[in-house]
């Protein structure tokens, strides 16, 4: 077993299910201890328990609230002795055409994805800088942030914003050997995409050269790469994991 995250401590937001859970599991498989932060603290604890109490803990955290993000990082430091990897993954969708989208639906999506990733990056970077042993931050963008999707003016704007945040933060944090990179998944089978009407799912499938949706594990593999020293000379990058869709 390769243990590329041996003795590292990772925090994964939105890790109670879906892509975040897969990332938490894979990180533990590769030697890390993980704190799962999720809006639903009980769900986060349950997922962590399923991974293993020695190596994973759950913590209730709404990523839109700076105090809660700081509490999550402090919990990781108390539980496992620091923070080496931060994965800003928590997310929601509130899809609607711009004509129908309410201001509240716009604000909610920007708050969770963009403000949440900014708070996670800001506070994790501060913790890592203080520790003085570098670190890796992985921000979850989306291919929606590259091309803009119909019905997702809120989500596409937030996910494009995550790219700008990643690059600007990478420049600010490089001198402290803290790397900041982003992933742009394509169509991945999770709760987030399960609610999609069948005709929309089919139209998206038609755009994918590899002719299938991706799995959560295929995103987790890329997160592991960016979190570990396997990507030690990469910062400010955006990796598309889309089966070739919209390349
Ligand atoms: P998911 O299964 O819905 O998981 C997202 C998790 O984030 C849920 O546990 C959710 O909790 C949590 N969350 C939502 N708002 C939060 C908040 N304010 N604070 C803390 N946790 C919060 O979604 P997923 O598909 O795994 O998506 C994970 C990430 O990948 C998201 O950033 C998403 O935008 C991105 N992504 C997904 C796809 C895809 O095709 N699935 C494609 C591109 C990018 P609740 O269940 O309580 O809301």
């Amino acid at each position: 077993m390769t243990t590329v995250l041996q003795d590292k401590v990772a925090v994964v937001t939105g890790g109670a299910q879906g892509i975040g859970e897969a990332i938490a599991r894979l990180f533990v498989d590769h030697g890390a201890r993980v704190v799962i932060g999720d809006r639903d603290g009980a769900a986060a604890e349950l997922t962590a328990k399923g991974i293993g109490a020695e190596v994973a803990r759950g913590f209730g955290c709404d990523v839109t609230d700076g105090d809660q993000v700081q509490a999550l990082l402090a919990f990781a430091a108390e539980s496992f002795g620091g923070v080496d990897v931060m994965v800003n993954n928590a997310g929601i969708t509130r899809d609607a055409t711009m004509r129908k989208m309410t201001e509240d639906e716009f604000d909610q999506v920007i708050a969770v994805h963009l403000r949440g990733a900014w708070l996670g990056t800001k506070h994790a970077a501060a913790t890592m800088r203080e520790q003085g042993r570098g670190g890796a931050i992985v921000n979850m963008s989306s291919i929606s942030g590259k091309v803009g999707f119909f019905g997702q003016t809120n989500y596409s704007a937030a996910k494009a914003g995550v790219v700008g945040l990643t690059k600007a933060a990478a420049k600010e944090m490089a001198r402290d050997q803290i790397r900041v990179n982003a992933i742009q998944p394509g169509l991945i089978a999770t709760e987030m995409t399960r609610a999609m009407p069948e005709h929309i799912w089919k139209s998206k499938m038609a755009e994918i050269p590899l002719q299938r949706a991706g799995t959560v594990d295929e995103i987790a593999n890329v997160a592991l790469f960016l979190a570990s020293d396997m990507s030690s000379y990469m910062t400010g990058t955006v990796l598309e994991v889309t089966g070739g869709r919209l390349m």
Side-chain angles (χ1 to χ4, degrees):
M1 170 68 69
T2 340
T3 52
V4 291
L5 291 182
Q6 196 65 50
D7 300 328
K8 301 287 187 194
V9 180
V11 174
V12 183
T13 68
Q17 63 178 47
I19 292 170
E21 178 181 356
I23 291 172
R25 287 184 181 279
L26 189 68
F27 281 12
V28 165
D29 286 347
H30 286 266
R33 284 159 298 158
V34 173
V35 170
I36 291 172
D38 208 288
R39 183 163 53 179
D40 182 346
E45 282 177 38
L46 195 65
T47 301
K49 207 171 153 201
I51 295 175
E54 296 292 304
V55 286
R57 302 264 163 84
F59 191 82
C61 169
D62 180 341
V63 297
T64 66
D65 182 321
D67 291 341
Q68 293 189 36
V69 173
Q70 282 182 281
L72 170 67
L73 291 157
F75 177 76
E78 278 159 32
S79 303
F80 296 130
V83 178
D84 302 289
V85 176
M86 178 72 175
V87 183
N88 293 304
N89 165 80
I92 59 167
T93 49
R94 297 287 183 269
D95 293 358
T97 57
M98 203 162 43
R99 194 165 59 87
K100 292 186 186 148
M101 189 179 289
T102 63
E103 289 184 28
D104 195 41
E105 286 166 337
F106 179 81
D107 289 344
Q108 280 177 31
V109 168
I110 296 290
V112 175
H113 292 280
L114 189 51
R115 180 180 163 85
W118 181 76
L119 287 168
T121 301
K122 171 185 169 69
H123 293 304
T127 303
M128 290 168 182
R129 191 192 297 118
E130 210 169 286
Q131 290 171 171
R133 59 182 196 235
I137 298 173
V138 180
N139 290 329
M140 205 55 71
S141 176
S142 165
I143 203 67
S144 178
K146 176 188 172 186
V147 299
F149 281 151
F150 187 98
Q152 289 197 323
T153 48
N154 49 3
Y155 186 81
S156 295
K159 291 304 202 185
V162 167
V163 171
L165 157 68
T166 298
K167 294 183 181 202
K171 285 180 181 157
E172 290 192 16
M173 301 316 303
R175 79 179 78 163
D176 294 298
Q177 302 305 312
I178 298 165
R179 300 180 300 105
V180 191
N181 292 287
I183 300 174
Q184 291 189 322
L187 185 62
I188 311 299
T190 67
E191 282 302 316
M192 188 174 272
T193 47
R194 245 184 283 280
M196 199 181 282
E198 200 181 335
H199 70 281
I200 296 186
W201 179 270
K202 278 190 180 153
S203 70
K204 288 181 186 283
M205 286 291 288
E207 296 172 349
I208 306 173
L210 288 181
Q211 299 184 340
R212 62 173 179 84
T215 67
V216 291
D217 295 328
E218 288 173 315
I219 303 303
N221 285 336
V222 178
L224 177 69
F225 171 69
L226 291 176
S228 74
D229 284 346
M230 287 190 291
S231 60
S232 53
Y233 201 50
M234 292 172 70
T235 196
T237 69
V238 183
L239 300 187
E240 294 178 23
V241 191
T242 63
R245 181 173 171 222
L246 305 168
M247 64 179 85

